[in-house]
Amino acid sequence: MTIAYLPGPPDDVPLYEPWAGEPEVLAQAAAAGRRAAAWIRSLPAPPAPSPVGTWLAVTLPDVVEVATASLDPAQCDRMGPDGRLIEGTAGVDAGTTSTLTIVPCVLSEATWLTADQHLRLLAVASVITGIARLLADDPGTAILHGLVARMCATLDHATRPDTPGLAPEFEQVVRHER
Protein backbone atom coordinates (compact mmCIF):
# COMPACT_ATOMS: atom_id res chain seq x y z
CA MET A 1 0.00 0.00 0.00
CA THR A 2 1.17 3.47 -0.72
CA ILE A 3 0.09 6.54 1.15
CA ALA A 4 0.95 9.73 -0.68
CA TYR A 5 0.72 13.27 0.62
CA LEU A 6 -0.25 15.79 -2.02
CA PRO A 7 0.98 19.35 -1.86
CA GLY A 8 -1.55 21.75 -0.49
CA PRO A 9 -2.85 23.12 2.77
CA PRO A 10 -1.50 21.66 6.02
CA ASP A 11 -4.63 19.58 6.54
CA ASP A 12 -3.73 17.22 3.69
CA VAL A 13 -5.27 13.79 4.03
CA PRO A 14 -3.34 10.77 2.79
CA LEU A 15 -4.93 8.91 -0.08
CA TYR A 16 -5.81 5.31 0.64
CA GLU A 17 -6.87 2.77 -1.89
CA PRO A 18 -8.36 -0.46 -0.45
CA TRP A 19 -6.72 -3.75 -1.37
CA ALA A 20 -8.49 -6.29 -3.54
CA GLY A 21 -10.58 -8.48 -1.25
CA GLU A 22 -10.17 -6.17 1.74
CA PRO A 23 -13.89 -5.92 2.62
CA GLU A 24 -14.24 -9.71 2.59
CA VAL A 25 -11.13 -10.23 4.73
CA LEU A 26 -12.30 -7.66 7.27
CA ALA A 27 -15.77 -9.24 7.36
CA GLN A 28 -14.17 -12.65 7.91
CA ALA A 29 -12.09 -11.26 10.81
CA ALA A 30 -15.14 -9.61 12.40
CA ALA A 31 -17.13 -12.87 12.12
CA ALA A 32 -14.26 -14.88 13.63
CA GLY A 33 -14.12 -12.34 16.46
CA ARG A 34 -17.84 -12.71 17.13
CA ARG A 35 -17.48 -16.50 17.26
CA ALA A 36 -14.49 -16.20 19.59
CA ALA A 37 -16.41 -13.84 21.87
CA ALA A 38 -19.35 -16.25 21.96
CA TRP A 39 -17.00 -19.09 22.93
CA ILE A 40 -15.44 -16.99 25.71
CA ARG A 41 -18.92 -16.15 27.04
CA SER A 42 -19.73 -19.88 27.05
CA LEU A 43 -16.86 -20.73 29.40
CA PRO A 44 -17.82 -21.87 32.88
CA ALA A 45 -18.26 -19.24 35.56
CA PRO A 46 -16.16 -19.34 38.72
CA PRO A 47 -17.62 -21.21 41.71
CA ALA A 48 -18.04 -17.87 43.51
CA PRO A 49 -18.46 -14.45 41.91
CA SER A 50 -15.12 -12.73 41.34
CA PRO A 51 -13.72 -9.74 39.46
CA VAL A 52 -11.72 -12.08 37.20
CA GLY A 53 -14.85 -14.09 36.43
CA THR A 54 -16.71 -10.94 35.46
CA TRP A 55 -13.74 -9.73 33.40
CA LEU A 56 -13.66 -13.04 31.50
CA ALA A 57 -17.43 -13.17 31.01
CA VAL A 58 -17.97 -9.55 29.98
CA THR A 59 -14.88 -7.44 29.33
CA LEU A 60 -12.72 -9.86 27.35
CA PRO A 61 -15.41 -11.02 24.90
CA ASP A 62 -16.48 -7.42 24.33
CA VAL A 63 -12.87 -6.44 23.61
CA VAL A 64 -12.46 -9.37 21.22
CA GLU A 65 -15.52 -8.23 19.26
CA VAL A 66 -14.48 -4.59 19.24
CA ALA A 67 -10.92 -5.38 18.12
CA THR A 68 -11.95 -7.57 15.20
CA ALA A 69 -14.80 -5.29 14.13
CA SER A 70 -12.62 -2.18 14.14
CA LEU A 71 -9.75 -3.50 12.01
CA ASP A 72 -8.74 -0.89 9.46
CA PRO A 73 -5.78 -1.49 7.12
CA ALA A 74 -5.75 2.22 6.25
CA GLN A 75 -4.35 2.85 9.73
CA CYS A 76 -1.01 1.23 8.90
CA ASP A 77 2.56 2.28 9.61
CA ARG A 78 3.39 5.32 7.52
CA MET A 79 5.64 8.29 7.16
CA GLY A 80 4.27 11.56 8.52
CA PRO A 81 4.55 14.84 6.63
CA ASP A 82 7.57 15.69 8.77
CA GLY A 83 9.35 12.47 7.72
CA ARG A 84 8.83 10.65 11.02
CA LEU A 85 7.43 7.14 11.22
CA ILE A 86 3.89 6.95 12.54
CA GLU A 87 3.20 3.51 13.96
CA GLY A 88 -0.15 2.23 12.76
CA THR A 89 -2.76 0.58 14.94
CA ALA A 90 -4.83 -1.14 12.23
CA GLY A 91 -7.87 0.48 13.83
CA VAL A 92 -7.42 -1.16 17.25
CA ASP A 93 -7.17 1.46 19.98
CA ALA A 94 -4.58 1.37 22.77
CA GLY A 95 -7.12 0.40 25.45
CA THR A 96 -8.25 -2.63 23.48
CA THR A 97 -4.66 -3.68 22.82
CA SER A 98 -3.85 -3.25 26.50
CA THR A 99 -6.74 -5.48 27.52
CA LEU A 100 -5.59 -8.22 25.14
CA THR A 101 -2.04 -7.89 26.46
CA ILE A 102 -3.01 -8.60 30.09
CA VAL A 103 -4.79 -11.88 29.31
CA PRO A 104 -1.81 -14.03 30.46
CA CYS A 105 -1.74 -12.23 33.82
CA VAL A 106 -5.47 -12.52 34.39
CA LEU A 107 -5.54 -16.23 33.55
CA SER A 108 -3.31 -17.04 36.50
CA GLU A 109 -6.29 -16.14 38.68
CA ALA A 110 -8.85 -18.09 36.62
CA THR A 111 -8.25 -21.32 38.54
CA TRP A 112 -11.66 -22.79 37.67
CA LEU A 113 -10.77 -23.01 33.97
CA THR A 114 -8.86 -25.97 32.56
CA ALA A 115 -5.34 -25.72 31.18
CA ASP A 116 -6.81 -26.24 27.70
CA GLN A 117 -9.15 -23.28 28.18
CA HIS A 118 -6.23 -21.16 29.41
CA LEU A 119 -4.21 -22.04 26.32
CA ARG A 120 -7.11 -21.31 24.02
CA LEU A 121 -7.72 -17.91 25.67
CA LEU A 122 -4.02 -17.11 25.26
CA ALA A 123 -4.31 -18.06 21.59
CA VAL A 124 -7.32 -15.76 21.14
CA ALA A 125 -5.48 -12.76 22.60
CA SER A 126 -2.33 -13.54 20.63
CA VAL A 127 -4.07 -14.10 17.30
CA ILE A 128 -6.17 -10.94 17.51
CA THR A 129 -3.14 -8.87 18.50
CA GLY A 130 -1.23 -10.51 15.64
CA ILE A 131 -3.90 -9.74 13.06
CA ALA A 132 -3.85 -6.07 14.06
CA ARG A 133 -0.04 -5.95 13.95
CA LEU A 134 0.04 -7.66 10.53
CA LEU A 135 -2.44 -5.16 9.12
CA ALA A 136 -0.53 -2.24 10.63
CA ASP A 137 2.87 -3.45 9.41
CA ASP A 138 2.01 -4.63 5.90
CA PRO A 139 -1.70 -4.68 5.03
CA GLY A 140 -1.12 -5.63 1.39
CA THR A 141 0.75 -8.81 2.22
CA ALA A 142 -1.61 -9.65 5.08
CA ILE A 143 -4.68 -9.33 2.85
CA LEU A 144 -3.47 -10.44 -0.57
CA HIS A 145 -1.47 -13.46 0.62
CA GLY A 146 -4.13 -14.81 2.98
CA LEU A 147 -2.29 -14.18 6.26
CA VAL A 148 -5.36 -12.67 7.92
CA ALA A 149 -7.52 -15.53 6.63
CA ARG A 150 -5.12 -18.08 8.08
CA MET A 151 -5.05 -16.29 11.43
CA CYS A 152 -8.85 -16.24 11.44
CA ALA A 153 -8.79 -20.00 10.85
CA THR A 154 -6.44 -20.35 13.83
CA LEU A 155 -8.81 -18.21 15.90
CA ASP A 156 -11.71 -20.43 14.89
CA HIS A 157 -9.73 -23.52 15.80
CA ALA A 158 -8.81 -22.12 19.22
CA THR A 159 -12.44 -21.26 19.96
CA ARG A 160 -14.03 -24.37 18.53
CA PRO A 161 -16.56 -26.25 20.61
CA ASP A 162 -14.91 -28.75 22.94
CA THR A 163 -14.86 -31.61 20.45
CA PRO A 164 -11.90 -33.49 19.02
CA GLY A 165 -10.58 -32.78 15.54
CA LEU A 166 -10.06 -29.63 13.58
CA ALA A 167 -12.72 -26.99 13.13
CA PRO A 168 -14.10 -27.12 9.55
CA GLU A 169 -12.81 -23.59 8.85
CA PHE A 170 -9.29 -24.62 9.82
CA GLU A 171 -9.42 -27.85 7.81
CA GLN A 172 -10.50 -25.87 4.75
CA VAL A 173 -7.53 -23.46 5.03
CA VAL A 174 -5.05 -26.28 5.69
CA ARG A 175 -6.32 -28.27 2.67
CA HIS A 176 -6.17 -25.15 0.48
CA GLU A 177 -2.49 -24.56 1.33
CA ARG A 178 -1.34 -28.10 0.52
Side-chain angles (χ1 to χ4, degrees):
M1 174 186 79
T2 302
I3 295 180
Y5 291 91
L6 301 175
D11 60 335
D12 282 341
V13 177
L15 299 174
Y16 175 77
E17 201 170 306
W19 297 94
E22 181 179 311
E24 295 81 9
V25 168
L26 296 178
Q28 179 184 16
R34 286 189 301 274
R35 289 188 297 273
W39 174 78
I40 294 168
R41 289 183 183 106
S42 76
L43 291 172
S50 72
V52 171
T54 302
W55 187 87
L56 282 169
V58 179
T59 305
L60 183 58
D62 289 350
V63 163
V64 165
E65 284 183 308
V66 165
T68 56
S70 64
L71 291 170
D72 181 4
Q75 292 185 23
C76 62
D77 296 346
R78 60 199 176 280
M79 205 55 85
D82 58 357
R84 292 185 186 170
L85 178 68
I86 300 170
E87 189 171 319
T89 63
V92 180
D93 65 70
T96 299
T97 301
S98 176
T99 301
L100 292 169
T101 303
I102 64 167
V103 168
C105 302
V106 172
L107 288 180
S108 64
E109 295 182 39
T111 56
W112 67 94
L113 296 176
T114 67
D116 179 64
Q117 292 164 334
H118 279 218
L119 286 171
R120 291 165 68 180
L121 285 165
L122 288 169
V124 167
S126 178
V127 167
I128 293 172
T129 303
I131 291 171
R133 195 68 252 149
L134 275 172
L135 287 173
D137 288 346
D138 188 0
T141 300
I143 293 168
L144 297 175
H145 294 283
L147 302 179
V148 173
R150 288 196 332 232
M151 291 187 83
C152 288
T154 302
L155 185 60
D156 282 335
H157 182 70
T159 59
R160 71 198 180 281
D162 292 325
T163 56
L166 295 175
E169 298 85 6
F170 193 74
E171 286 179 359
Q172 183 180 25
V173 170
V174 171
R175 273 192 231 116
H176 181 265
E177 291 181 356
R178 287 185 184 162

